[in-house]
Amino acid sequence: MLSKPDSALIIVGHGSTVNQDSSAPTLEHVETLSRRGGFAEVVSAFWKEEPSLRQVLHMIDSDEVYVVPNFISEGYFTRTVIPRELGITGPVSEVSGKKLKYCEPVGNHVRMTELLLRRAAEVAPGVPPSETSLLIVGHGTNLNDNSALAAKREVDRIRETGIYAEVFNAYMEEAPLIAEWDTYTSQPNVVVVPFFIADGLHSFQDIPVLLGIEQEPGLAASQRQVFRQNPHPLRGRSLFFASSIGTEPLFADLILDQVAAFDAIHTAQ
Amino acid sequence: MNARNLNQMVAVWVADGFRQIGQIRITQLDSGEFELRHVEDLGRMDLVNYEDPFDARHLSLTTVDGEFRPLKSAPNLRTGWRLLIRNIADLRAALDLFYPAMLGVWASHLRHELQPVSFRETLDRQTGMYAASKRLQEEEGQGLVANACSVENCTKRQLWKFAEDQTLRLMPADKCSAESKLLEGGIREIPLLCHEACNLLVAAARETVKKRERAASAGAAAAPTHGG
Ligand code: SF4
């Protein structure tokens, strides 16, 4: 196990001022890794919640601080907002006498494919993948980030494994549209896995509506039953809907891996 | 920054009588353990007991009515619980969940390492959708701060100014002071300090600007001016 008894770890999430599900996975990973005890200090920091990126360094004693963005891809937040708010200028930055080590976002990890496959299998137990279409839902390309690219990369990798009869990307506002899932899938079973960091995004609440599971965007994901009612018999198929990939507990291990990967690349510094 | 040990600092504060933070009272038991409870629950016997510092996460997440609390310093912490804490490290962990970064910010303040950032500077730094907040005017901004940061909404004390050369004109002086108040029974509070405007306030500044600009363009469309 990664042991850094003299270092702190900051897991950075987006957070939300309206939906408690947004920060939940980040807080969960912080709790998991705090209990494991590999670091002197493990804390969260958020753009829209507390502690903010401007407060977080005050709560840390350690001089060496690893910063891991709990984001699905590189983009506006990892390249602009987090560096600006924390004072990060490169892979290693000196800020208020601390050495900040800026790691890759969790979503970039090569094991993401394995996690998506695992989640897909969990949500539809006993359903043969050879008779199943798998949809990986991403943000559209209009967002100022690379999450659509990352979602495409994952679909390519899953296709290469040959485990599922077919694998597609799906988006809210561009083709292939989530709402038209039954037109481009051919299998009797359809599994939908959102490639999001949390269930608390505003857009996430629209997915069940677009799929046809719900009539209108309802409560926060944590307060409703969508996930427990799988499968949904819809449009002549069995539809299985998973919660966002970022709620997967194994994300905590990927966060540690990003720290190890940083050290492997930057040990000379 | 010299080496700092926040656990030790917290231990000294509690021993010195700093036993209230936000809406929470800290009591040291005969066993040496600590007990946290809501200040409104001081005399209550019918509280639900918790023993894991991470329970603070769930206790601070929503109000009694189940409303999400994005701002942890809002004076709406739920009542009805009692959290038993074994040691100083766990006390710090729990308080960091109830009032994120507030122990550390207070420590930085005491060590003269806390540098308040003016509201104007925070707004000027914004990019993307929040860039519009840069156009906040002083007059509307002072009113916004007085309202959004009032004691009814937030128990933090603003240490920042409106701009380098502009104070927070409409804020009561004690809402802008870092001084620890002496409470009944000789107990001292660990004040919650705001050294830089939070994202909620920046978002509200953006809304204020957008609203004014929408109204102005609607007004301009309704009554076109003629150049002469
Ligand atoms: S800016 Fe500071 S004082 Fe005002 S609401 Fe936000 S945290 Fe509270």
PDB file of all heavy atoms in Angstrom, chain B residues 157-175:
ATOM      1  N   ARG B 157     -17.018  35.726  10.030  1.00  0.00           N
ATOM      2  CA  ARG B 157     -16.691  37.154  10.080  1.00  0.00           C
ATOM      3  C   ARG B 157     -15.859  37.487   8.854  1.00  0.00           C
ATOM      4  O   ARG B 157     -14.836  36.844   8.614  1.00  0.00           O
ATOM      5  CB  ARG B 157     -15.845  37.458  11.318  1.00  0.00           C
ATOM      6  CG  ARG B 157     -16.268  36.674  12.554  1.00  0.00           C
ATOM      7  CD  ARG B 157     -17.239  37.436  13.413  1.00  0.00           C
ATOM      8  NE  ARG B 157     -17.364  36.759  14.692  1.00  0.00           N
ATOM      9  CZ  ARG B 157     -16.500  36.931  15.686  1.00  0.00           C
ATOM     10  NH1 ARG B 157     -15.459  37.733  15.556  1.00  0.00           N
ATOM     11  NH2 ARG B 157     -16.669  36.284  16.824  1.00  0.00           N
ATOM     12  N   GLN B 158     -16.252  38.499   8.138  1.00  0.00           N
ATOM     13  CA  GLN B 158     -15.495  38.881   6.945  1.00  0.00           C
ATOM     14  C   GLN B 158     -14.280  39.680   7.342  1.00  0.00           C
ATOM     15  O   GLN B 158     -14.404  40.742   7.931  1.00  0.00           O
ATOM     16  CB  GLN B 158     -16.319  39.767   6.000  1.00  0.00           C
ATOM     17  CG  GLN B 158     -17.482  39.071   5.407  1.00  0.00           C
ATOM     18  CD  GLN B 158     -18.711  39.366   6.220  1.00  0.00           C
ATOM     19  OE1 GLN B 158     -18.656  39.399   7.438  1.00  0.00           O
ATOM     20  NE2 GLN B 158     -19.780  39.596   5.549  1.00  0.00           N
ATOM     21  N   LEU B 159     -13.120  39.197   6.966  1.00  0.00           N
ATOM     22  CA  LEU B 159     -11.887  39.948   7.223  1.00  0.00           C
ATOM     23  C   LEU B 159     -11.459  40.722   5.990  1.00  0.00           C
ATOM     24  O   LEU B 159     -10.517  41.493   6.028  1.00  0.00           O
ATOM     25  CB  LEU B 159     -10.774  38.987   7.649  1.00  0.00           C
ATOM     26  CG  LEU B 159     -11.106  38.103   8.859  1.00  0.00           C
ATOM     27  CD1 LEU B 159      -9.896  37.293   9.267  1.00  0.00           C
ATOM     28  CD2 LEU B 159     -11.602  38.947  10.029  1.00  0.00           C
ATOM     29  N   TRP B 160     -12.179  40.485   4.882  1.00  0.00           N
ATOM     30  CA  TRP B 160     -11.809  41.158   3.623  1.00  0.00           C
ATOM     31  C   TRP B 160     -12.554  42.473   3.477  1.00  0.00           C
ATOM     32  O   TRP B 160     -13.612  42.674   4.050  1.00  0.00           O
ATOM     33  CB  TRP B 160     -12.086  40.249   2.425  1.00  0.00           C
ATOM     34  CG  TRP B 160     -13.351  39.447   2.494  1.00  0.00           C
ATOM     35  CD1 TRP B 160     -13.493  38.205   3.030  1.00  0.00           C
ATOM     36  CD2 TRP B 160     -14.655  39.828   2.014  1.00  0.00           C
ATOM     37  NE1 TRP B 160     -14.787  37.778   2.915  1.00  0.00           N
ATOM     38  CE2 TRP B 160     -15.524  38.749   2.296  1.00  0.00           C
ATOM     39  CE3 TRP B 160     -15.174  40.957   1.375  1.00  0.00           C
ATOM     40  CZ2 TRP B 160     -16.882  38.773   1.957  1.00  0.00           C
ATOM     41  CZ3 TRP B 160     -16.521  40.975   1.041  1.00  0.00           C
ATOM     42  CH2 TRP B 160     -17.354  39.891   1.336  1.00  0.00           C
ATOM     43  N   LYS B 161     -11.945  43.337   2.658  1.00  0.00           N
ATOM     44  CA  LYS B 161     -12.595  44.614   2.365  1.00  0.00           C
ATOM     45  C   LYS B 161     -13.332  44.497   1.038  1.00  0.00           C
ATOM     46  O   LYS B 161     -13.161  43.512   0.324  1.00  0.00           O
ATOM     47  CB  LYS B 161     -11.522  45.707   2.261  1.00  0.00           C
ATOM     48  CG  LYS B 161     -10.795  45.939   3.563  1.00  0.00           C
ATOM     49  CD  LYS B 161     -10.063  47.250   3.511  1.00  0.00           C
ATOM     50  CE  LYS B 161      -8.578  47.059   3.477  1.00  0.00           C
ATOM     51  NZ  LYS B 161      -7.801  48.263   3.366  1.00  0.00           N
ATOM     52  N   PHE B 162     -14.108  45.487   0.716  1.00  0.00           N
ATOM     53  CA  PHE B 162     -14.791  45.451  -0.581  1.00  0.00           C
ATOM     54  C   PHE B 162     -13.744  45.593  -1.691  1.00  0.00           C
ATOM     55  O   PHE B 162     -13.723  44.837  -2.645  1.00  0.00           O
ATOM     56  CB  PHE B 162     -15.835  46.565  -0.691  1.00  0.00           C
ATOM     57  CG  PHE B 162     -16.723  46.375  -1.890  1.00  0.00           C
ATOM     58  CD1 PHE B 162     -17.840  45.560  -1.816  1.00  0.00           C
ATOM     59  CD2 PHE B 162     -16.409  46.969  -3.101  1.00  0.00           C
ATOM     60  CE1 PHE B 162     -18.637  45.346  -2.935  1.00  0.00           C
ATOM     61  CE2 PHE B 162     -17.201  46.760  -4.223  1.00  0.00           C
ATOM     62  CZ  PHE B 162     -18.315  45.937  -4.140  1.00  0.00           C
ATOM     63  N   ALA B 163     -12.866  46.575  -1.523  1.00  0.00           N
ATOM     64  CA  ALA B 163     -11.721  46.746  -2.423  1.00  0.00           C
ATOM     65  C   ALA B 163     -10.592  47.296  -1.574  1.00  0.00           C
ATOM     66  O   ALA B 163     -10.803  47.654  -0.415  1.00  0.00           O
ATOM     67  CB  ALA B 163     -12.068  47.697  -3.564  1.00  0.00           C
ATOM     68  N   GLU B 164      -9.401  47.341  -2.112  1.00  0.00           N
ATOM     69  CA  GLU B 164      -8.246  47.813  -1.343  1.00  0.00           C
ATOM     70  C   GLU B 164      -8.561  49.099  -0.582  1.00  0.00           C
ATOM     71  O   GLU B 164      -8.191  49.255   0.569  1.00  0.00           O
ATOM     72  CB  GLU B 164      -7.050  48.027  -2.277  1.00  0.00           C
ATOM     73  CG  GLU B 164      -5.941  47.000  -2.125  1.00  0.00           C
ATOM     74  CD  GLU B 164      -5.974  46.195  -0.834  1.00  0.00           C
ATOM     75  OE1 GLU B 164      -5.609  46.769   0.214  1.00  0.00           O
ATOM     76  OE2 GLU B 164      -6.376  45.012  -0.846  1.00  0.00           O
ATOM     77  N   ASP B 165      -9.297  50.023  -1.265  1.00  0.00           N
ATOM     78  CA  ASP B 165      -9.571  51.327  -0.650  1.00  0.00           C
ATOM     79  C   ASP B 165     -11.049  51.489  -0.265  1.00  0.00           C
ATOM     80  O   ASP B 165     -11.533  52.597  -0.093  1.00  0.00           O
ATOM     81  CB  ASP B 165      -9.143  52.451  -1.610  1.00  0.00           C
ATOM     82  CG  ASP B 165      -9.762  52.261  -2.995  1.00  0.00           C
ATOM     83  OD1 ASP B 165     -10.442  51.226  -3.193  1.00  0.00           O
ATOM     84  OD2 ASP B 165      -9.562  53.129  -3.859  1.00  0.00           O
ATOM     85  N   GLN B 166     -11.776  50.381  -0.165  1.00  0.00           N
ATOM     86  CA  GLN B 166     -13.194  50.474   0.205  1.00  0.00           C
ATOM     87  C   GLN B 166     -13.529  49.439   1.274  1.00  0.00           C
ATOM     88  O   GLN B 166     -13.346  48.246   1.049  1.00  0.00           O
ATOM     89  CB  GLN B 166     -14.079  50.213  -1.029  1.00  0.00           C
ATOM     90  CG  GLN B 166     -14.030  51.334  -2.058  1.00  0.00           C
ATOM     91  CD  GLN B 166     -14.554  50.887  -3.412  1.00  0.00           C
ATOM     92  OE1 GLN B 166     -14.482  49.712  -3.775  1.00  0.00           O
ATOM     93  NE2 GLN B 166     -15.096  51.822  -4.178  1.00  0.00           N
ATOM     94  N   THR B 167     -14.032  49.923   2.418  1.00  0.00           N
ATOM     95  CA  THR B 167     -14.411  48.986   3.476  1.00  0.00           C
ATOM     96  C   THR B 167     -15.791  48.411   3.169  1.00  0.00           C
ATOM     97  O   THR B 167     -16.437  48.820   2.206  1.00  0.00           O
ATOM     98  CB  THR B 167     -14.473  49.707   4.836  1.00  0.00           C
ATOM     99  OG1 THR B 167     -15.377  50.804   4.676  1.00  0.00           O
ATOM    100  CG2 THR B 167     -13.105  50.207   5.262  1.00  0.00           C
ATOM    101  N   LEU B 168     -16.244  47.485   4.008  1.00  0.00           N
ATOM    102  CA  LEU B 168     -17.616  46.973   3.863  1.00  0.00           C
ATOM    103  C   LEU B 168     -18.502  47.936   4.649  1.00  0.00           C
ATOM    104  O   LEU B 168     -18.720  47.767   5.848  1.00  0.00           O
ATOM    105  CB  LEU B 168     -17.712  45.542   4.401  1.00  0.00           C
ATOM    106  CG  LEU B 168     -16.942  44.490   3.596  1.00  0.00           C
ATOM    107  CD1 LEU B 168     -16.990  43.141   4.292  1.00  0.00           C
ATOM    108  CD2 LEU B 168     -17.484  44.363   2.184  1.00  0.00           C
ATOM    109  N   ARG B 169     -19.008  48.931   3.974  1.00  0.00           N
ATOM    110  CA  ARG B 169     -19.702  50.047   4.635  1.00  0.00           C
ATOM    111  C   ARG B 169     -20.937  49.616   5.419  1.00  0.00           C
ATOM    112  O   ARG B 169     -21.274  50.173   6.444  1.00  0.00           O
ATOM    113  CB  ARG B 169     -20.142  51.076   3.592  1.00  0.00           C
ATOM    114  CG  ARG B 169     -19.033  51.921   3.043  1.00  0.00           C
ATOM    115  CD  ARG B 169     -19.602  53.055   2.222  1.00  0.00           C
ATOM    116  NE  ARG B 169     -19.869  52.703   0.835  1.00  0.00           N
ATOM    117  CZ  ARG B 169     -21.080  52.587   0.311  1.00  0.00           C
ATOM    118  NH1 ARG B 169     -22.151  52.752   1.057  1.00  0.00           N
ATOM    119  NH2 ARG B 169     -21.233  52.284  -0.966  1.00  0.00           N
ATOM    120  N   LEU B 170     -21.660  48.633   4.888  1.00  0.00           N
ATOM    121  CA  LEU B 170     -22.958  48.296   5.488  1.00  0.00           C
ATOM    122  C   LEU B 170     -22.892  47.144   6.488  1.00  0.00           C
ATOM    123  O   LEU B 170     -23.901  46.725   7.019  1.00  0.00           O
ATOM    124  CB  LEU B 170     -23.955  47.961   4.363  1.00  0.00           C
ATOM    125  CG  LEU B 170     -24.103  49.047   3.287  1.00  0.00           C
ATOM    126  CD1 LEU B 170     -25.060  48.602   2.191  1.00  0.00           C
ATOM    127  CD2 LEU B 170     -24.598  50.347   3.914  1.00  0.00           C
ATOM    128  N   MET B 171     -21.695  46.597   6.709  1.00  0.00           N
ATOM    129  CA  MET B 171     -21.581  45.473   7.648  1.00  0.00           C
ATOM    130  C   MET B 171     -21.354  45.988   9.061  1.00  0.00           C
ATOM    131  O   MET B 171     -20.532  46.884   9.259  1.00  0.00           O
ATOM    132  CB  MET B 171     -20.371  44.605   7.286  1.00  0.00           C
ATOM    133  CG  MET B 171     -20.500  43.536   6.258  1.00  0.00           C
ATOM    134  SD  MET B 171     -22.092  42.852   5.933  1.00  0.00           S
ATOM    135  CE  MET B 171     -22.061  41.372   6.869  1.00  0.00           C
ATOM    136  N   PRO B 172     -22.043  45.402  10.078  1.00  0.00           N
ATOM    137  CA  PRO B 172     -21.753  45.790  11.457  1.00  0.00           C
ATOM    138  C   PRO B 172     -20.295  45.452  11.805  1.00  0.00           C
ATOM    139  O   PRO B 172     -19.773  44.446  11.318  1.00  0.00           O
ATOM    140  CB  PRO B 172     -22.707  44.929  12.291  1.00  0.00           C
ATOM    141  CG  PRO B 172     -23.553  44.172  11.334  1.00  0.00           C
ATOM    142  CD  PRO B 172     -23.064  44.390   9.948  1.00  0.00           C
ATOM    143  N   ALA B 173     -19.676  46.284  12.624  1.00  0.00           N
ATOM    144  CA  ALA B 173     -18.246  46.119  12.911  1.00  0.00           C
ATOM    145  C   ALA B 173     -17.920  44.747  13.484  1.00  0.00           C
ATOM    146  O   ALA B 173     -16.903  44.148  13.142  1.00  0.00           O
ATOM    147  CB  ALA B 173     -17.797  47.221  13.878  1.00  0.00           C
ATOM    148  N   ASP B 174     -18.792  44.210  14.377  1.00  0.00           N
ATOM    149  CA  ASP B 174     -18.425  42.935  15.004  1.00  0.00           C
ATOM    150  C   ASP B 174     -18.532  41.757  14.029  1.00  0.00           C
ATOM    151  O   ASP B 174     -18.018  40.685  14.291  1.00  0.00           O
ATOM    152  CB  ASP B 174     -19.245  42.678  16.277  1.00  0.00           C
ATOM    153  CG  ASP B 174     -20.721  42.529  15.989  1.00  0.00           C
ATOM    154  OD1 ASP B 174     -21.162  42.961  14.899  1.00  0.00           O
ATOM    155  OD2 ASP B 174     -21.443  41.982  16.854  1.00  0.00           O
ATOM    156  N   LYS B 175     -19.176  41.973  12.872  1.00  0.00           N
ATOM    157  CA  LYS B 175     -19.240  40.908  11.854  1.00  0.00           C
ATOM    158  C   LYS B 175     -17.941  40.893  11.043  1.00  0.00           C
ATOM    159  O   LYS B 175     -17.693  39.993  10.252  1.00  0.00           O
ATOM    160  CB  LYS B 175     -20.459  41.158  10.942  1.00  0.00           C
ATOM    161  CG  LYS B 175     -20.748  40.064   9.925  1.00  0.00           C
ATOM    162  CD  LYS B 175     -21.373  38.844  10.533  1.00  0.00           C
ATOM    163  CE  LYS B 175     -21.957  37.846   9.539  1.00  0.00           C
ATOM    164  NZ  LYS B 175     -21.050  37.196   8.621  1.00  0.00           N
TER     165      LYS B 175
END
